[in-house]
Amino acid sequence: MFCFQCQQTAHNTGCEGSAGVCGKKADTANYQDDLVSALIGLARAVRKKGATEKSDELMLKGLFTTITNVNFYNDTICALIDEVNKEKEAIAPQTDNYDVQTIWDDDEDIRSLKSLILFGLKGMAAYAYHSYALEYTDPEVQAFFYEGMEALGEEHTADELLSLVLKTGDVNYKCMAMLDRANTETYGTPVPTTVPLTIEKGPFIVVSGHDLHDLKLLLEQTKDKGINIYTHSEMLPAHGYPKLKAYPHLKGNFGTAWQSQQFEFHNIPAPILFTTNCLMPVRQSYSDRVFTTSIVSYPEMVHIGEDKDFTPVIEKAIACKGYDREKPLKGINGGSTVTTGFGHGAVLENAGKIVDLVKKGKIRHFFLIGGCDGAAPGRSYYTEFAKKTPMDTIILTLACGKYRLNDLDLGEIEGLPRILDMGQCNDAYSAITVALALAEAFECDVNELPLSMVLSWYEQKAVCILLTLLHLGIKNILLGPTLPAFISPNVLDILVKNYNIMPTSTPDEDLEKLLGPALP
């Protein structure tokens, strides 16, 4: 195997040998490469003869399956490869696949640029798949998956590939807008909501991942059954959506970010439903309580199929009985509640107040501190950075990186909380929307705003978001805890020269870089 698509990759160069750092076995990694190769073949067929409804679904499902910490089960991956090859032959018989391993052996700059495109497409496929589940599609977005995947199997110059890298960011912006519309039109515009971290007495189910549609179906099926539902990790923002928070048995949030699941789920008296990533190798102390659905799959775990009948999960919750008394949990900083729901709708309702506070000098600076979380010790940087931000600054946060700081009490500025959780990773669209609106209000370029992005990355959805920021011309991004292993020195040099992307250093040094020297 060879895999270097995520931040935790071995030695920041690539995972090789018998298994990856994520727990993915070598054969699973190779099957995932075979799936990508088959998808390139499907893209070639579609570009010759045209897409079908089945090919559209398989392209999204296939790419999403290969994202880090989504699928560990060879049988489902191989079955999907067979489906993709069958559809390719039905569209354009005898269309060749392409061995994606060829990319890993290519010139390092070509490999780097093709990796940016491939990993960006993987991340974008996740967002498009969530939209697809809610019956929202965009022909331009769907067509680009075929264009981008076909290009991976062709000879292109570095300049041509760089142009395609930026186009990936452009199309992902449209894709995130589509998902934002799908979520808000289906579940309502998020509203600020305080979410308890305490688990009530009695049966409950923990729902992890990102898929709001699956959560809605589970809430409906557990209505009036005496079973409470708790979100986990990236499902937390569900509490802000009016049509989801209307269910009284959606009670609160269990635990923190994805990388803590192996000890937070230890002997949990309840089932856990994984709707998307991030699923880690399952430990015996809770293995009989893990259920998967959608594109998530793990050997020997019960999978809820396309019928979305969650009866096995419900029966397990009743059998486990839950805690026999209320169980208070804490965030990583000791807080007992977190707040979410500050999407662009809620923030822009206060746009006039925010602009006024800036003009009066009561808000000096905005920081976007967020992205993917992970297990690397250096990620404590984001907690310390947040703690050290001055009291006249606002922190926007999103994705699971928010768990590094979302239970901190950093106070308010005239009733406006200093920490505003904007939602899931796809809700980077909200942050961009707010930034563009503020730039318009102040009649300046977005790079002239008193706004700094201090981002963490882990997997491929973070890659497509970064490409979107580059497409929009946003500069001076601080990125950590390490730079991607798949970016070559020459490609990095282009990003530094054109966008001034910088690696994080220390909170004190970076704050001084962004704000100037601290006052004595």
Side-chain angles (χ1 to χ4, degrees):
M1 71 172 288
F2 176 77
C3 183
F4 62 171
Q5 68 176 6
C6 78
Q7 184 274 325
Q8 67 183 352
T9 195
H11 313 297
N12 204 39
T13 55
C15 292
E16 301 180 82
S18 60
V21 175
C22 69
K24 180 173 59 182
K25 302 275 180 64
D27 55 352
T28 305
N30 292 335
Y31 285 132
Q32 290 188 357
D33 276 354
D34 290 344
L35 176 54
V36 172
S37 300
L39 291 168
I40 293 173
L42 178 62
R44 286 173 163 174
V46 165
R47 297 274 284 176
K48 288 179 184 176
K49 299 289 187 177
T52 67
E53 185 177 342
K54 184 66 173 177
S55 70
D56 285 352
E57 180 184 5
L58 285 172
M59 183 59 70
L60 301 182
K61 188 175 183 180
L63 285 170
F64 199 173
T65 294
T66 66
I67 286 179
T68 304
N69 292 96
V70 167
N71 196 308
F72 292 82
Y73 194 16
N74 293 347
D75 288 0
T76 59
I77 299 169
C78 290
L80 193 50
I81 292 170
D82 290 342
E83 276 194 86
V84 170
N85 284 330
K86 182 179 178 180
E87 184 65 15
K88 177 196 68 175
E89 290 301 312
I91 293 171
Q94 300 181 327
T95 302
D96 292 334
N97 285 341
Y98 174 83
D99 185 0
V100 75
Q101 302 261 359
T102 304
I103 295 176
W104 314 144
D105 298 328
D106 213 331
D107 168 83
E108 69 170 355
D109 294 332
I110 298 299
R111 178 179 79 166
S112 181
L113 292 165
K114 285 191 173 184
S115 295
L116 278 166
I117 295 164
L118 174 59
F119 302 155
L121 288 172
K122 288 185 178 189
M124 187 166 70
Y127 301 147
Y129 190 86
H130 293 316
S131 294
Y132 183 82
L134 296 174
E135 301 182 352
Y136 282 70
T137 58
D138 182 327
E140 182 182 355
V141 171
Q142 192 63 47
F144 183 70
F145 284 107
Y146 300 118
E147 178 186 347
M149 292 298 286
E150 182 187 46
L152 295 177
E154 298 175 332
E155 295 293 329
H156 286 281
T157 66
D159 285 343
E160 289 170 338
L161 290 173
L162 182 59
S163 176
L164 201 57
V165 165
L166 296 176
K167 186 173 181 180
T168 306
D170 178 17
V171 178
N172 182 61
Y173 186 47
K174 296 178 174 68
C175 185
M176 289 194 297
M178 172 176 66
L179 181 54
D180 178 80
R181 186 172 67 255
N183 286 337
T184 55
E185 291 181 1
T186 303
Y187 307 116
T189 300
V191 295
T193 304
T194 299
V195 182
L197 304 182
T198 296
I199 311 303
E200 295 183 11
K201 175 184 175 181
F204 67 97
I205 298 169
V206 174
V207 186
S208 192
H210 307 70
D211 201 306
L212 301 178
H213 180 59
D214 284 336
L215 174 63
K216 170 67 164 57
L217 294 175
L218 180 66
L219 287 167
E220 193 62 31
Q221 292 179 37
T222 51
K223 189 167 55 177
D224 302 322
K225 293 188 184 300
I227 299 171
N228 291 329
I229 306 298
Y230 293 87
T231 56
H232 171 257
S233 194
E234 277 279 68
M235 198 61 82
L236 168 65
H239 292 274
Y241 287 92
K243 291 186 180 179
L244 296 177
K245 66 191 277 96
Y247 287 89
H249 60 302
L250 180 60
K251 290 290 187 178
N253 193 69
F254 184 101
T256 55
W258 67 271
Q259 74 278 358
S260 301
Q261 66 188 256
Q262 289 180 325
F263 69 84
E264 289 184 342
F265 292 158
H266 175 68
N267 289 334
I268 182 176
I272 309 109
L273 175 66
F274 281 90
T275 66
T276 58
N277 57 328
C278 290
L279 171 65
M280 296 178 72
V282 179
R283 292 186 174 175
Q284 187 176 0
S285 66
Y286 58 91
S287 61
D288 65 319
R289 280 146 281 167
V290 169
F291 296 81
T292 62
T293 192
S294 188
I295 42 74
V296 191
S297 193
Y298 195 91
E300 301 180 6
M301 301 295 109
V302 176
H303 185 78
I304 307 299
E306 293 181 3
D307 62 356
K308 298 296 181 181
D309 181 357
F310 292 112
T311 298
V313 188
I314 294 168
E315 291 177 343
K316 179 63 75 172
I318 293 170
C320 288
K321 299 181 181 179
Y323 294 111
D324 60 6
R325 67 192 63 158
E326 184 177 273
K327 186 175 180 64
L329 301 178
K330 300 289 185 182
I332 67 168
N333 300 293
S336 59
T337 64
V338 292
T339 302
T340 190
F342 286 96
H344 62 87
V347 174
L348 293 181
E349 276 188 3
N350 292 283
K353 178 178 181 179
I354 292 170
V355 169
D356 187 55
L357 289 171
V358 172
K359 289 180 176 178
K360 290 180 177 177
K362 294 188 176 182
I363 296 179
R364 180 182 12 159
H365 206 85
F366 297 88
F367 296 99
L368 175 59
I369 308 175
C372 307
D373 205 357
R379 290 180 180 271
S380 60
Y381 163 94
Y382 297 94
T383 308
E384 294 308 310
F385 189 101
K387 288 180 178 178
K388 290 175 180 289
T389 55
M391 291 297 293
D392 57 356
T393 62
I394 294 287
I395 296 172
L396 309 175
T397 190
L398 49 81
C400 58
K402 63 176 162 277
Y403 283 98
R404 292 285 170 174
L405 54 102
N406 66 340
D407 65 320
L408 289 170
D409 182 4
L410 297 185
E412 300 179 343
I413 301 177
E414 294 200 2
L416 189 69
R418 287 196 55 231
I419 298 179
L420 305 178
D421 174 19
M422 308 195 82
Q424 296 180 341
C425 51
N426 53 283
D427 291 312
Y429 176 78
S430 270
I432 293 168
T433 300
V434 168
L436 295 177
L438 289 175
E440 183 178 353
F442 286 109
E443 298 181 344
C444 68
D445 182 86
V446 68
N447 290 307
E448 297 171 331
L449 286 171
L451 168 67
S452 300
M453 296 193 178
V454 186
L455 305 182
S456 56
W457 82 283
Y458 173 72
E459 42 92 321
Q460 297 74 63
K461 283 176 280 185
V463 175
C464 68
I465 292 169
L466 177 62
L467 299 186
T468 292
L469 296 175
L470 300 183
H471 154 71
L472 293 170
I474 294 175
K475 300 180 179 181
N476 307 316
I477 298 168
L478 283 170
L479 184 64
T482 58
L483 295 178
F486 52 81
I487 294 185
S488 68
N490 287 334
V491 172
L492 179 61
D493 187 56
I494 291 171
L495 298 182
V496 171
K497 285 180 178 176
N498 291 339
Y499 303 100
N500 196 32
I501 288 182
M502 300 170 281
T504 54
S505 54
T506 69
D508 287 327
E509 290 172 348
D510 289 340
L511 276 167
E512 181 170 346
K513 187 185 306 177
L514 299 172
L515 294 178
L519 296 174

